Amino acid sequence: LVLYNPKSRKRASYLAEALRLAAEERGPDTPVGFVRAAFRPDQDVRVATLATCDPNWADMLTIVIIGNSASRLVGGKILTPRGYFEKYGS
């Protein structure tokens, strides 16, 4: 799930509520990434879990990426397996 332009002054509480709902549905250990000002000199990337992330990391220049049920944190990155093993495994 990717949230684009997730926060503004008039919509300050919406992101926190969306993250809370996602944590209820997917679990608090679900990885979440914040990318602010992507590919700009002041780019900032933060990775955490739904339980530990801070909605204040986001502004109008941020995208928020919430992992799925198979996503996990590996070496400070979000890893989501493609699922072919389960599909074609013996």
Side-chain angles (χ1 to χ4, degrees), residues 8-84:
S8 70
R9 278 179 258 159
K10 291 184 179 181
R11 298 179 285 114
S13 65
Y14 292 5
L15 178 58
E17 179 67 5
L19 294 171
R20 185 190 67 74
L21 291 170
E24 283 181 9
E25 187 66 30
R26 297 207 175 147
D29 294 330
T30 301
V32 59
F34 289 71
V35 180
R36 186 187 174 286
F39 295 100
R40 295 179 183 175
D42 58 338
Q43 175 177 300
D44 183 34
V45 178
R46 298 178 187 210
V47 179
T49 65
L50 286 170
T52 62
C53 71
D54 183 350
N56 292 317
W57 293 344
D59 63 13
M60 291 180 63
L61 297 176
T62 306
I63 61 169
V64 178
I65 303 158
I66 301 172
N68 69 23
S69 60
S71 298
R72 57 187 181 269
L73 292 175
V74 177
K77 309 260 189 232
I78 299 173
L79 174 67
T80 304
R82 295 289 302 260
Y84 294 126

